[in-house]
Structures are given as structure tokens and as C-alpha cells.
């Protein structure tokens, strides 16, 4: 049996109206995942991502279950990798601007080492903030 929680106002521990519901909803991640590109090419856990595709060494693409807006400045991805120093939500070699890289249905990812070379990693995480389409 599914449960549903409906509220108009969130209050802090003292009963003060300190948090507007719209602020909580707009600040929440609209999609997040942890995926393995090194050994299994699978999601280890995900929310609002329907598929993961290993496109080549160090490069992948994740597809949203529910589309997001892809307007410059309103949507962004935060990415990390355990085994590499940098994880980017765009592929700088093929896309010169953020709006070209992030679409409403998917986001390409590139994983670079300290030396700047592409490489696969076992634990990559992505969180996407912005608005649902």
C-alpha cells in the first residue's frame, strides 16, 4: 500500500514557518545515480535515470526517466568519481557550451584522470538539479 504525505507548510523544531515547501521542492535533485563504468557498466542505484550507456573509455551517457529542462543556467549536473580526479557532466572535446551538452532527455559524461586522459571508474555519481520539463 502506497503512502502519501501532503503539507502546506514545513516548520522548524520550534514551530516557526522557516521553510517554504516550494523552496524544498525546487532545491531537490531531480535525478541522481551511482554507476559502475569499469567492471559491470550498470547503475548501482538511481532515481529518475532509466538507462546508462558506456559509449567509450571514460565516456558514458545517462538517460532521464522524466525529462528535465535544458535551459542555460537553470539546470546543472554535479558529478564525482572515486578513482579519478575530475568527472564532468559534459564532454569538452565535442561540446563548446553547456546547453549543447545537456539535453532534456540525457546527459553525456566524461571521466578524466589527473593527467587529463579519459578512463573508466568503478564508482561515479551524478546529481542533476533544475526543473522537470
Amino acid at each position: 500500500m502506497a503512502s502519501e504525505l501532503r503539507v502546506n507548510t514545513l516548520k522548524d523544531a520550534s514551530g516557526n514557518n522557516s521553510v517554504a515547501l516550494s523552496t524544498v521542492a525546487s532545491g531537490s535533485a531531480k535525478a541522481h545515480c551511482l554507476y559502475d563504468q569499469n567492471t559491470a557498466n550498470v547503475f548501482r542505484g538511481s532515481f529518475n535515470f532509466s538507462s546508462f550507456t558506456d559509449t567509450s573509455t571514460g565516456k558514458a551517457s545517462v538517460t532521464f526517466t522524466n525529462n528535465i529542462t535544458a535551459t542555460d543556467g537553470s539546470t546543472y549536473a554535479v558529478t564525482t568519481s572515486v578513482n579519478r580526479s575530475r568527472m564532468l557532466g559534459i564532454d569538452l572535446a565535442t561540446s563548446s557550451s553547456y546547453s549543447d551538452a545537456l539535453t532534456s532527455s540525457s546527459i553525456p559524461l566524461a571521466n578524466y584522470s589527473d593527467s587529463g586522459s579519459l578512463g573508466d571508474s568503478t564508482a561515479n555519481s551524478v546529481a542533476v538539479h533544475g526543473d522537470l520539463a
Side-chain angles (χ1 to χ4, degrees):
M1 177 177 207
S3 297
E4 186 174 305
L5 176 65
R6 295 182 186 198
V7 297
N8 292 322
T9 304
L10 297 177
K11 297 185 180 212
D12 64 17
S14 300
N16 299 315
N17 295 339
S18 62
V19 181
L21 187 58
S22 61
T23 301
V24 174
S26 66
S28 300
K30 300 308 183 282
H32 56 80
C33 70
L34 174 66
Y35 69 89
D36 176 351
Q37 187 181 7
N38 191 41
T39 57
N41 293 321
V42 296
F43 285 124
R44 299 271 183 224
S46 70
F47 170 74
N48 197 26
F49 282 115
S50 60
S51 66
F52 161 79
T53 304
D54 184 350
T55 56
S56 66
T57 300
K59 293 185 179 184
S61 178
V62 287
T63 302
F64 299 109
T65 302
N66 299 296
N67 286 352
I68 60 163
T69 59
T71 307
D72 239 359
S74 67
T75 303
Y76 60 93
V78 177
T79 58
T80 62
S81 174
V82 172
N83 300 334
R84 302 284 178 174
S85 63
R86 293 183 289 156
M87 183 76 184
L88 303 176
I90 58 172
D91 179 0
L92 295 176
T94 60
S95 178
S96 61
S97 75
Y98 177 79
S99 60
D100 291 339
L102 178 64
T103 70
S104 62
S105 61
S106 67
I107 183 171
L109 303 168
N111 188 6
Y112 294 91
S113 68
D114 288 334
S115 65
S117 61
L118 287 164
D120 294 344
S121 181
T122 303
N124 306 289
S125 60
V126 179
V128 179
H129 295 265
D131 297 319
L132 294 173

